[in-house]
């Protein structure tokens, strides 16, 4: 695919959020990615009365795509990065946050596969950790991204035949959806066997969150029996909508005793095959011999304040004779990839994933990012917190 010629639809500047020493700031005058800054003083002065320079097509090289972003979704890892990595580090001056994106292809490098991507395609995905650590984030109106991190969004939901909206897809193809895919793959159930997931007994802890709501759909769609924990009436409704059987941990407290009564009372055959922890409750693992089969797996994505070091040592490395729990423990870290993002698209087309859950059916506007992050940090979000970046 050859790079596109200059187009009058590209603005001279774009809006993007940046983190400065004073906090998050929405700037309307970011240069487009890949465009060399103009040497004209009038082009950079905020007080100029001169017309803006004629926009040119950003340089797209190799297999890169230039996207006009319509939506971004927020992830807990965003908050960790904002807190742990200051904006004055040499490799991330005034960084733009955000991993997840959905948008349209407006230009492409010459090595992009034309069988996969065309100008105008709606695509989605997640940036690499290296991109975001170095200050390149998705909360900007234009974004240059490696095409291997991107998947073309299907036109309709495979199961329902309805049009797929950008706010529904951005989380599915982003960190949450790809993490759910990785958790399923880590379970180690052979995908090509006749039985596969059929009849497997699974618990999803934190089933009404961004990852959990997707994971419940995938497991249920593959034929597993799925129970999901949540702590609110709103969460109960969402878990049911995604296909899971609800366990309200506030109604059945402590939930570990309830799990033992339900799954451990009739012997090993009734115990769970897998526990997927999307919320971070170590007591569910330490008490798991009472309800998780001996050969079962506990798969977690929550590292806690130590960023995973403490739970990994305590639950993965510590032997049983030193107090370790006699069950297999896995702690995952997602690296967005072509394999996981394309698997999301495949499962949507097959009807395994039937919906993208947007928290409160609300899409936050670009100017409301700080409030959107506050909603994410509250821990009360059901599904994905989504921001509308552009049209």
């Amino acid at each position: 695919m050859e790079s596109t010629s200059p187009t009058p639809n590209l603005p001279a500047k774009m809006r993007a959020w940046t983190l400065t020493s004073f906090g998050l700031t929405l700037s309307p005058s970011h240069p487009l990615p890949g465009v060399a800054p103009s040497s004209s003083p009038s082009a950079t002065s905020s007080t100029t009365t001169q017309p803006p320079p004629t926009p040119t097509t950003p340089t797209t090289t190799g297999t890169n795509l230039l996207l006009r972003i319509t939506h971004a979704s927020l992830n807990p890892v965003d908050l960790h990065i904002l807190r742990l990595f200051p904006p004055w580090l040499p490799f991330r001056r005034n960084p733009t946050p955000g991993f997840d994106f959905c948008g349209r292809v407006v230009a492409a490098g010459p090595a992009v596969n034309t069988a996969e991507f065309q100008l105008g395609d709606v695509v989605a995905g997640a940036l690499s950790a290296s991109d975001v650590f170095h200050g390149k984030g998705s909360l900007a109106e234009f974004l240059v991204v490696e095409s291997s991190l991107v998947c073309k969004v299907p036109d309709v939901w495979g199961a329902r035949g309805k049009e797929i909206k950008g706010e529904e897809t951005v989380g599915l193809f982003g960190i949450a959806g790809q993490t759910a895919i990785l958790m399923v793959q880590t379970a180690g159930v052979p995908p090509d066997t006749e039985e596969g997931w059929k009849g497997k007994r699974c618990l999803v802890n934190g089933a009404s969150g961004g990852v959990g709501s997707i994971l419940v759909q995938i497991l249920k769609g593959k034929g597993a029996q799925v129970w999901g924990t949540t702590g609110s009436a709103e969460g109960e409704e969402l878990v049911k909508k995604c296909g899971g059987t609800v366990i309200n941990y506030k109604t059945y407290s402590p939930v570990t005793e309830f799990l033992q009564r339900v799954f451990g009372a009739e012997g090993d055959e009734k115990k769970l095959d897998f526990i997927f922890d999307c919320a971070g409750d170590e007591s569910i693992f330490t008490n798991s011999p009472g309800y998780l089969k001996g050969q079962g797996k506990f798969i977690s994505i929550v590292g806690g304040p130590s960023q995973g070091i403490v739970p990994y040592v305590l639950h993965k490395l510590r032997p049983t004779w030193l107090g370790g729990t006699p069950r297999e423990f896995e702690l995952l870290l997602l690296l967005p990839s072509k394999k996981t993002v394309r698997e999301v698209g495949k499962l949507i087309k097959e009807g395994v994933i039937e919906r993208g859950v947007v928290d409160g059916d609300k899409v936050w506007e670009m100017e409301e990012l700080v409030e959107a992050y506050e909603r994410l940090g509250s821990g009360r979000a059901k599904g994905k917190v989504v921001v509308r970046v552009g049209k």
Side-chain angles (χ1 to χ4, degrees):
M1 179 185 288
E2 296 182 356
S3 295
T4 59
S5 57
T7 168
N9 292 327
L10 288 181
K13 300 286 184 178
M14 69 173 181
R15 294 194 307 166
W17 278 93
T18 57
L19 177 66
T20 70
S21 57
F22 300 101
L24 283 167
T25 303
L26 177 59
S27 170
S29 58
H30 272 258
L32 294 183
V35 174
S38 171
S39 60
S40 168
S42 65
T44 57
S45 171
S46 60
T47 60
T48 181
T49 58
Q50 299 296 319
T54 302
T56 58
T57 300
T59 301
T60 47
T61 60
T63 55
N64 286 335
L65 298 171
L66 172 67
L67 309 180
R68 185 190 292 266
I69 301 302
T70 61
H71 296 87
S73 64
L74 311 184
N75 296 281
V77 69
D78 296 351
L79 297 175
H80 291 309
I81 292 174
L82 290 173
R83 291 166 181 158
L84 297 175
F85 297 92
W88 45 260
L89 292 173
F91 60 86
R92 54 185 272 115
R93 297 286 187 185
N94 297 335
T96 295
F99 280 86
D100 300 352
F101 58 84
C102 179
R104 290 188 179 276
V105 178
V106 296
V112 171
N113 185 351
T114 57
E116 287 188 302
F117 302 109
Q118 297 288 332
L119 301 188
D121 283 348
V122 177
V123 299
L127 291 166
S128 68
S130 176
D131 283 335
V132 178
F133 286 147
H134 285 84
K136 171 184 169 182
S138 60
L139 285 157
E141 290 181 313
F142 290 86
L143 181 67
V144 172
V145 61
E146 166 56 45
S147 61
S148 64
L149 299 176
V150 168
C151 181
K152 184 177 177 180
V153 176
D155 294 327
V156 298
W157 293 102
R160 295 182 290 157
K162 292 185 178 180
E163 179 185 359
I164 300 178
K165 299 178 181 179
E167 59 265 31
E168 295 175 303
T169 62
V170 64
L172 291 177
F173 289 92
I175 294 295
Q178 293 190 54
T179 297
I181 294 291
L182 183 61
M183 295 181 85
V184 171
Q185 292 173 345
T186 301
V189 176
D192 55 351
T193 61
E194 183 177 344
E195 292 299 319
W197 281 94
K198 186 177 180 181
K200 293 287 193 261
R201 297 165 66 81
C202 305
L203 174 71
V204 178
N205 185 40
S208 59
V211 176
S213 60
I214 302 169
L215 183 57
V216 169
Q217 294 181 70
I218 296 174
L219 294 171
K220 187 69 175 180
K222 287 180 175 291
Q225 300 179 60
V226 187
W227 290 263
T229 69
T230 186
S232 67
E234 183 184 6
E236 288 189 13
E237 182 180 350
L238 175 55
V239 173
K240 291 177 183 176
K241 189 179 294 184
C242 291
T245 300
V246 175
I247 298 175
N248 191 314
Y249 60 80
K250 291 183 178 179
T251 302
Y252 304 104
S253 181
V255 71
T256 52
E257 293 183 3
F258 175 77
L259 294 176
Q260 186 157 351
R261 290 198 304 271
V262 171
F263 299 108
E266 299 183 37
D268 201 61
E269 286 302 311
K270 293 295 183 180
K271 289 183 178 180
L272 296 162
D273 294 285
F274 300 99
I275 298 175
F276 299 91
D277 184 16
C278 304
D281 187 341
E282 294 190 22
S283 68
I284 293 182
F285 176 68
T286 55
N287 290 281
S288 63
Y291 40 81
L292 179 63
K293 292 178 181 178
Q295 71 275 21
K297 284 187 181 181
F298 184 97
I299 301 171
S300 176
I301 57 170
V302 185
S306 69
Q307 306 305 306
I309 297 174
V310 171
Y312 186 83
V313 172
L314 288 179
H315 305 316
K316 180 72 173 178
L317 300 183
R318 186 170 58 162
T320 55
W321 57 273
L322 282 178
T325 303
R327 292 295 183 273
E328 186 173 351
F329 177 88
E330 296 289 347
L331 182 62
L332 304 184
L333 173 65
L334 173 72
L335 297 176
S337 70
K338 180 176 181 178
K339 180 180 179 181
T340 50
V341 74
R342 305 294 166 87
E343 182 67 12
V344 173
K346 175 176 175 287
L347 294 183
I348 289 175
K349 290 180 179 179
E350 293 175 351
V352 173
I353 298 176
E354 297 184 342
R355 66 189 72 247
V357 181
V358 179
D359 175 48
D361 292 325
K362 174 181 174 60
V363 178
W364 299 81
E365 298 302 326
M366 190 71 154
E367 296 79 5
E368 300 174 311
L369 178 67
V370 174
E371 291 87 347
Y373 270 130
E374 289 173 351
R375 172 65 179 175
L376 176 70
S378 72
R380 298 192 299 271
K382 301 296 182 287
K384 293 300 299 178
V385 176
V386 177
V387 176
R388 190 189 335 272
V389 177
K391 296 181 180 180

